[in-house]
């Protein structure tokens, strides 16, 4: 059964060039859609027959039955259909029949034979002919009492039987006249056989005429009537045909004189761009669903019903497989009298009759006496005119369930509506319609933008109005049973003449009511609470992550230690190369090294001397590092401050769909709700933005996130984003008590707000004309400024638009910097206080590390070299001479060595002994000297600053190096007298020696 689950058989007429193409397209689409038959294989067999050849049709059907089929699809004329009906009823083979009408004349119903046992296996996929019902309704609306019907010779007059019977019951005077193929001969015969009085009476009869002809025949007929002066500007032509194209309609209208009304069948789903190529889960070929392909215009109505018939059979096969009630295929020999009918035929027929699909022609099912009852017509028309360039407008529609929808009354209102009182239905929606006064016992008074526009039109046109609110509080949407609710339903039910509020003009609404020209542009906006600006005093640290700041903070001491080590190595090397004395201007402490690193990082420079290549490489790398870090920080800070200036993260529908923190929705069963549904379920939509929006809006069928009324949505906005008409949400934001609401969304307008009227209302054109005049004079702009002021208590512009000149940084953005500065100042004060306390005790005073040091051994050698030759003639006392630093510090610079010896030490014999304490000066100036009597001097660079208090005595840590602190015990050294001579000056003036 699985291998044969999709066997389709079809019989078409040879002149039906499109039938086989459409059948193949339908099979191809089913093969591409796994949701219909899943993995089942679809096979098919097609037979072509001559037109109106019932015998050949039966032969081909018998051959198909012999091969084995599940159902038969045929697209033929009535003669072949009648023969096939008898065969399929006898063999119990389900038969889907599509009536063809290839000559262009209006279709008449096929007179099929009733089944012997009452079980008909033939299902009419094309609905019964309802042209007669539409014509009778049209005649009643136009109040015609006398008219004439012209029909072609190819038209079956039996199709008018029911129409004539009903017209007789209504007392209508109806004439019938057949028109030969040679239309010009018809009018020439009229003039030859009729006298002038008869022609005048015939001309009066011709003022109300119904044409049941092909489009080409009707065009020639009207043209001949105008040429022979039988038609005038008072003529009213009604042309009725299920199949008539837009091009044929324009030719008919341009060739006619007077008023023209056209009735034709329509398929509403064609015009729905969002579901055009999808029917439930079935994707239709773009050739059949896209009007831009041009293929649709070349198809007949029967072709469309053929496609839907194949889809209906596939749906029935799927349900049979799903229920596991499959029967083996019928392999029948219909030429044998003993052949029994297929035992699974009745079950298959029942499955088909219980099914329902939505296809190219709309809904299709066979629940109404074995035929598809769903059909819809539109009534197009022009007004009376003497010109030929008239516009065609849709006046009304007619369907099999609701009948006529619209008005066909003559449009003869030209300038005013004095004495007219309109009944107007409305719905409260700020700021369009609001209650101004509500006094008990008196009619409500209303105000608002729409009311102001209505009052302006009433003042110009002179009409009055009574206004009431719609009962269900809805604008109007189509219900599953085909009816409409809300204000649109009030207009369709003719309980109101006009509906006014924030009604948007949509294609679905315009198919059942008329709209005036738009008086305000429409777009969908997002109403939400303004995002509160978060205060972060350390926002200037935001450009870098915490890990980056930590790495930078760690890099400073690491590089500082590196420089400290390298400079220590450099100092030792310089000491070895220069007699143990490093350059006095080079600091080698760790503190100084880290300070240099920090100074380079903040780009304040450094006064350090980089003597080695290694130090230069380190500092060069560090400077490059700091340059990149500072540049990156500057760039990221600018970007961060720019982003932080945005008031809201949600500025469009794309932003709204990507975030998950903010819940959003709209009003259920509204135009906005339908808009997001259409956009979100459209398979041709490239961007998934609307799909995500619709998923959230329709959560739990809209009861979780959407609301029941606009006022509820506006109240909920504190923690909610409300999607609604831009004009309404802007007004809500402008009039908010706390000015905490803002509006975002797309301001591009594709639709507008209009006044809704009954279908075919005589006031539509007049209202549209006056609205355009109000727009040109600027009155509508003045009214709009009244209700949506540019400058008010709440200014939307300051939040909606980004200011190109930027915005000044506020104090809280820099508060962190000031906090860091304050912390640094407090730390400096604390350290200064600690240093003061520490230095208040001289014994704890830390000596500078940069004091110059000298080795006593070196001084000993120096003195020996200087005094051996130049002081040999001096006769020093034989006893030991000790000169301490304190003694020398108390001397005057003019004192001589002889005076010192004569005063403190008596002359004695023997080798004299001299005790010397040496040190280096702090600076290079103000040295003290001990001069000899003969004028030879020895430089003594002493100063009072280099001599601390005698109470604190320190010993150098290396045992041989002494700083400026006093010595504990002078070190005695032996002095050997040498021959006299001048004492040479020291070779290094930077070193001083005290004796």
């Amino acid at each position: 059964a699985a291998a044969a689950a999709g066997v389709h058989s079809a019989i078409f007429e040879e002149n039906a060039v499109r039938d086989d193409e459409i059948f193949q397209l339908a099979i191809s689409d089913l093969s591409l859609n796994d949701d219909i038959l899943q993995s089942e294989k679809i096979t098919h067999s097609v037979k072509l027959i001559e037109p109106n050849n019932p015998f050949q049709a039966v032969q081909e059907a018998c051959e198909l039955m012999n091969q084995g089929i599940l159902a038969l699809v045929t697209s033929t004329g009535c003669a072949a259909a009648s023969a096939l009906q008898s065969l399929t009823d006898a063999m119990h083979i389900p038969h889907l029949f599509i009536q063809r009408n290839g000559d262009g004349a209006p279709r008449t119903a096929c007179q099929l034979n009733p089944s012997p046992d009452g079980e008909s296996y033939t299902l009419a996929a094309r609905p019964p002919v309802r042209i007669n019902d539409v014509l009778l309704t049209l005649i009643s609306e136009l109040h015609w009492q006398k008219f004439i019907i012209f029909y072609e010779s190819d038209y079956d007059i039996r199709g008018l039987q029911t129409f004539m019977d009903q017209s007789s019951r209504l007392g209508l005077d109806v004439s019938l006249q057949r028109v030969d193929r040679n239309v010009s001969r018809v009018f020439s015969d009229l003039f030859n056989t009729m006298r002038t009085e008869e022609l005048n009476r015939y001309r009066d009869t011709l003022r109300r005429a119904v044409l049941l002809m092909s489009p080409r025949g009707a065009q020639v007929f009207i043209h001949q009537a105008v040429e022979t002066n039988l038609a005038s500007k008072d003529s009213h032509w009604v042309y009725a045909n299920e199949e008539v194209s837009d091009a044929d309609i324009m030719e008919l209208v341009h060739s006619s004189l007077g008023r023209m009304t056209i009735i034709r069948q329509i398929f509403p789903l064609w015009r729905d761009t969002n579901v055009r190529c999808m029917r439930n889960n079935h994707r239709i070929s773009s050739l059949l669903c896209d009007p831009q392909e041009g293929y649709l215009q070349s198809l007949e109505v029967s072709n469309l019903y053929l496609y839907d018939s194949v889809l209906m059979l596939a749906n029935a096969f799927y349900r049979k497989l799903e229920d596991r009630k499959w029967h083996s295929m019928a392999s029948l020999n219909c030429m044998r009298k003993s052949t029994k009918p297929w035992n699974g035929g009745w079950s298959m027929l029942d499955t088909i009759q219980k099914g329902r699909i939505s296809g190219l022609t709309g809904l299709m099912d066979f629940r109404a006496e074995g035929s598809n009852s769903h059909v819809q017509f539109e009534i197009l028309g022009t007004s009376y005119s003497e010109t030929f360039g008239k516009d065609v407008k849709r006046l009304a529609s007619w369907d099999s369930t609701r009948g006529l929808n619209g008005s066909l009354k003559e449009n003869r209102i030209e300038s005013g509506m004095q004495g007219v009182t309109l009944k107007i239905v409305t719905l409260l929606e700020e700021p369009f319609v609001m209650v101004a006064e509500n006094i008990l016992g008196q009619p409500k008074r209303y105000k608002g933008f729409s009311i102001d526009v209505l009052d302006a039109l009433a003042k110009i046109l002179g009409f009055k109005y009574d206004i009431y609110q719609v009962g269900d509080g809805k604008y109007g949407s189509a219900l599953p049973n085909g009816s409409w609710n809300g204000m649109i339903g009030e207009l369709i039910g003719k309980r109101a003449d006009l509906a006014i509020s924030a009604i948007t003009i949509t294609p679905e609404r315009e198919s059942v009511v008329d709209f005036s020209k738009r008086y305000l542009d429409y777009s969908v906006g997002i109403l939400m609470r303004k995002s509160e600006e978060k205060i972060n005093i350390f926002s200037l640290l935001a450009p870098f992550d915490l890990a980056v700041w930590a790495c930078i903070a760690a890099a400073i001491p690491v590089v500082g230690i590196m420089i400290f080590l390298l400079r220590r190595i450099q100092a030792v090397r310089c000491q070895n190369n220069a007699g143990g004395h490093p350059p006095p201007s080079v600091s080698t402490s760790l503190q100084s090294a880290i300070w240099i690193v920090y100074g380079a990082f903040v780009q304040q420079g450094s006064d350090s001397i980089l003597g080695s290549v290694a130090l230069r490489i380190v500092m060069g790398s560090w400077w490059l590092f700091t340059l990149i870090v500072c540049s990156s920080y500057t760039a990221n800070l600018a970007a961060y401050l720019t982003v932080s200036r945005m008031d809201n993260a949600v500025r469009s529908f794309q932003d709204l769909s990507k975030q998950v923190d903010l819940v959003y929705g709209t009003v259920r069963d509204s135009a906005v709700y339908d808009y997001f549904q259409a956009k979100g379920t459209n398979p041709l939509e490239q961007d998934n933005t609307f799909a995500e929006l619709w998923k959230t809006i329709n959560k739990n069928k809209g009861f979780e996130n959407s609301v029941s009324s606009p006022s509820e949505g506006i109240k909920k906005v504190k923690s909610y984003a409300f999607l609604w008409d831009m004009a309404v949400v802007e007004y809500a934001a402008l009039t908010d008590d706390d000015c905490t609401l803002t509006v975002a969304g797309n301001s591009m307008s594709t639709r507008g707000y209009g006044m809704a009227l009954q279908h075919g209302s005589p006031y539509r054109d007049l209202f549209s004309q006056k609205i355009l005049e109000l727009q040109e004079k600027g009155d509508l702009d003045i009214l709009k400024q009244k209700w949506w002021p540019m400058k008010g208590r709440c200014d939307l512009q300051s939040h909606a638009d980004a200011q190109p000149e930027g915005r000044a940084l506020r104090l809280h953005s820099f508060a962190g910097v000031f906090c860091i500065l304050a912390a640094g100042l407090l730390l400096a004060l604390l350290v200064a206080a600690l240093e003061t306390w520490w230095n208040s005790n001289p014994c704890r005073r830390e000596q500078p590390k940069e004091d110059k040091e000298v080795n006593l051994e070196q001084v000993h050698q120096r003195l020996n070299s200087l005094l051996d030759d130049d002081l040999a003639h001096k006769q020093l006392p034989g006893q030991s001479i000790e000169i301490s630093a304190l003694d020398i510090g108390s001397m005057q610079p003019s004192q001589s060595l002889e005076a010192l010896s004569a005063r403190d030490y008596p002359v004695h014999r023997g080798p004299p002994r001299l005790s010397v304490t040496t040190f280096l000066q702090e600076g290079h100036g103000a040295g003290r000297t001990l001069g000899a009597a003969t004028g030879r001097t020895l430089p003594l660079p002493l100063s009072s600053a280099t001599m601390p208090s005698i109470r604190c005595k320190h010993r150098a840590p290396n045992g041989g190096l002494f700083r400026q602190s006093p010595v504990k015990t002078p070190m005695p050294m032996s002095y050997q007298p040498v021959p006299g001579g001048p004492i040479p000056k020291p070779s290094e003036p930077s070193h001083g020696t005290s004796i």
Side-chain angles (χ1 to χ4, degrees), residues 385-463:
S385 176
E386 298 183 7
T387 63
F388 294 95
K390 297 179 288 295
D391 294 329
V392 181
K393 300 176 182 178
R394 186 175 182 180
L395 303 178
S397 62
W398 187 97
D399 59 55
S400 53
T401 58
R402 293 174 296 176
L404 184 68
N405 177 24
S407 175
L408 300 173
K409 296 177 181 179
E410 178 56 38
N411 256 336
R412 290 192 177 272
I413 299 176
E414 296 180 359
S415 59
M417 297 171 58
Q418 286 79 10
V420 177
T421 301
L422 299 178
K423 194 164 188 180
I424 298 177
V425 61
T426 190
L427 175 65
L428 296 183
E429 181 77 88
E430 296 182 354
F432 290 88
V433 179
M434 299 176 286
V435 176
E437 290 183 4
N438 189 10
I439 302 175
L440 187 64
Q442 296 184 9
K444 291 182 181 178
R445 297 186 61 186
Y446 297 90
K447 65 178 181 180
F449 177 70
S450 296
I451 300 299
D452 289 347
V453 175
L454 182 64
D455 290 339
L457 293 174
K459 184 178 180 180
I460 296 173
L461 297 174
F463 65 86

Side-chain angles (χ1 to χ4, degrees), residues 279-292:
R279 300 294 186 274
N280 296 330
N281 293 326
H282 175 69
R283 180 179 291 278
I284 300 174
S285 172
S286 61
L287 280 175
L288 299 175
C289 65
D290 192 353
Q292 296 181 355

Side-chain angles (χ1 to χ4, degrees), residues 95 120-126 128 349 353 365-373:
H95 174 211
S120 176
Y121 284 80
T122 297
L123 304 175
R126 193 167 181 178
L349 180 68
Q353 285 182 318
D365 60 46
F366 300 105
R367 301 175 185 179
E369 299 179 357
S371 63
N372 180 20
S373 61

Side-chain angles (χ1 to χ4, degrees), residues 76 106 175 185 187 229 233 317 364 390 404 427 443 508 656 706 732 767 833 847 880 945:
T76 63
S175 304
R185 196 179 72 178
F187 287 97
N229 204 24
K233 63 179 182 179
F317 294 162
M364 174 182 282
K390 297 179 288 295
L404 184 68
L427 175 65
E508 295 79 14
L656 189 63
S706 294
F767 273 60
Q847 302 301 323
S880 173

